[in-house]
Amino acid sequence: MPRPELERLQLERLRRTVEYCRKNVPHYRDKLEKAGVSPERIKALSDIKYIPFTTKDDLRDTYPYGLFARPLKEIVRIHASSGTTGKPTVVGYTRGDLEIWSDCVARVCVAAGVTDEDVAQISFGYGLFTGALGLHYGLEKVGASVIPISSGNTVKQVMILKDFGTTVLVSTPSYALYMGEVAKEEGICREELRLKIGLFGSEGCTAEMRDQIESALGVFATDNYGMSELMGPGVSGECALRDGIHINEDHFYPEIIDPATGEVREAGAEGELVITTLTKEGIPLLRYRTKDITRLNYEPCRCGRTLVRMDKVKGRSDDMLKIRGVNVFPSQIERASCRERV
């Protein structure tokens, strides 16, 4: 879609989402009224700056269902975060949400090279975590044969990889690396596997770690991005060129802000990623602060897609350290550690 046409669609959906939140979510109604924001005030996409931010604290303060825009009888799926830092963040999906979710994930899978000829092994843990079921339904929509093996029992995992002819692996990068080690211990070499594509997510993956996974499993490793608050996996994903992570921006409007001031930064600048959901029914989010540090590239990709691309997440604004005036992220330490192991 040409960018002017895409931006017209985004503006239409943004105005509709603001009105939807005002009508259906008391928490948002109060915030928007205090900020003096109505759909009529949103005359251009840049006017999104008038909308107050949403943070994880908003979800926790309204736990469990306070940000839901539909009654529970219309919510057909409930997921939640792990809650390791307090109460979990709870999200709900209508039937319409599930259809859009599977479509967004299918886009990510196809962009990476998945087809209906593939056999996909999902080695994420099933449960309240959105990763497994999110990829499951997206891959089924593509037409791939899905093996819902879940996580754990790694010896059996690598046996299934070989015996079932798995061509697509879904897991965290660290678990894929461990599977490669176990396969070697079991006497299974990469040439015995039919693996072609890795759809990795749920944690950071440096270029050095990616190289190790590809060397161990003989797989083409791709990265995808999402979080349960926004939808789950399917917010963005790499194409086969791996030149940035394409955001499904007809459903998710991205901004980059200064994490300290909240000011919107110019195109191409690095900062904190903020996402507004444009089509969510169950739990729409306005200007959600992800805390993830990245940058956006609006140049069309060589693959032909016109969707904006985000860089791999560099780190999190709440994890950033300043050492002698230099910003340092844990991912940079991990990268150096990977180089040392190599």
Side-chain angles (χ1 to χ4, degrees):
M1 183 181 287
R3 181 144 293 278
E5 187 178 341
L6 175 57
E7 290 180 350
R8 284 194 294 272
L9 177 65
Q10 288 176 320
L11 179 59
E12 175 190 327
R13 288 181 170 178
L14 175 61
R15 290 167 60 93
R16 187 190 308 155
T17 298
V18 170
E19 179 61 20
Y20 183 74
C21 289
R22 278 165 52 95
K23 282 186 175 180
N24 297 290
V25 186
H27 182 81
Y28 272 133
R29 185 183 308 128
D30 293 343
K31 291 184 74 169
L32 291 168
E33 286 180 357
K34 288 177 183 177
V37 176
S38 65
E40 293 72 32
R41 191 174 183 185
I42 310 298
K43 295 181 169 61
L45 286 173
S46 58
D47 292 334
I48 196 171
K49 65 186 178 185
Y50 300 121
I51 300 175
F53 292 116
T54 303
T55 68
K56 187 164 285 191
D57 286 340
D58 288 294
L59 283 93
R60 287 175 175 153
D61 291 345
T62 57
Y63 172 88
Y65 304 136
L67 285 187
F68 283 21
R70 308 309 305 161
L72 278 180
K73 68 177 182 179
E74 296 180 30
I75 300 296
V76 297
R77 176 90 63 78
I78 294 173
H79 282 282
S81 68
S82 61
T84 54
T85 57
K87 290 282 190 181
T89 53
V90 181
V91 293
Y93 302 78
T94 64
R95 293 192 187 279
D97 289 332
L98 292 182
E99 182 62 28
I100 288 175
W101 188 11
S102 63
D103 186 62
C104 286
V105 174
R107 291 185 191 180
V108 169
C109 296
V110 170
V114 179
T115 74
D116 58 2
E117 299 287 338
D118 281 303
V119 177
Q121 182 166 326
I122 298 181
S123 299
F124 277 144
Y126 282 72
L128 290 177
F129 169 59
T130 57
L133 283 170
L135 268 298
H136 184 124
Y137 285 100
L139 284 160
E140 283 189 344
K141 189 159 194 172
V142 173
S145 303
V146 176
I147 305 171
I149 193 170
S150 194
S151 58
N153 197 346
T154 311
V155 171
K156 184 176 181 179
Q157 293 269 0
V158 297
M159 180 191 74
I160 296 294
L161 279 179
K162 178 185 174 184
D163 294 351
F164 285 28
T166 300
T167 58
V168 176
L169 175 62
V170 176
S171 73
T172 62
S174 58
Y175 192 56
L177 196 58
Y178 180 60
M179 288 173 75
E181 295 172 358
V182 172
K184 186 177 180 180
E185 292 170 0
E186 292 296 305
I188 299 174
C189 63
R190 52 180 278 182
E191 288 75 19
E192 296 179 81
L193 303 176
R194 294 184 58 199
L195 276 175
K196 298 188 303 182
I197 298 168
L199 297 171
F200 302 127
S202 191
E203 66 184 22
C205 181
T206 63
E208 292 79 7
M209 189 176 185
R210 169 184 275 179
D211 290 343
Q212 291 178 26
I213 293 170
E214 292 187 335
S215 175
L217 293 173
V219 67
F220 181 75
T222 66
D223 197 8
N224 62 83
Y225 175 86
M227 55 179 57
S228 60
E229 298 94 315
L230 300 175
M231 181 175 69
V235 174
S236 63
E238 285 184 308
C239 68
L241 296 175
R242 297 195 304 198
D243 188 20
I245 308 175
H246 295 270
I247 298 177
N248 286 317
E249 55 177 324
D250 51 336
H251 297 289
F252 305 96
Y253 183 76
E255 303 171 81
I256 295 293
I257 65 167
D258 182 319
T261 67
E263 293 295 314
V264 178
R265 288 186 163 166
E266 67 277 6
E270 184 180 276
E272 180 183 336
L273 179 66
V274 172
I275 295 284
T276 296
T277 63
L278 298 177
T279 54
K280 286 283 292 289
E281 295 176 334
I283 179 167
L285 291 182
L286 298 174
R287 302 193 80 196
Y288 184 72
R289 294 190 61 165
T290 68
K291 300 292 186 180
D292 290 327
I293 302 297
T294 184
R295 73 177 74 241
L296 300 177
N297 180 359
Y298 286 90
E299 291 295 319
C301 181
R302 288 175 293 134
C303 74
R305 291 174 178 81
T306 56
L307 297 169
V308 67
R309 287 166 286 157
M310 58 183 281
D311 287 354
K312 275 181 170 290
V313 172
K314 182 178 181 180
R316 291 183 55 80
S317 58
D318 48 2
D319 287 340
M320 187 177 71
L321 306 172
K322 185 161 282 192
I323 301 174
R324 295 181 181 177
V326 177
N327 293 337
V328 177
F329 295 95
S331 60
Q332 293 169 302
I333 299 170
E334 178 188 346
R335 187 176 297 115
S337 175
C338 281
R339 287 199 190 104
E340 186 68 26
R341 287 199 298 271
V342 171

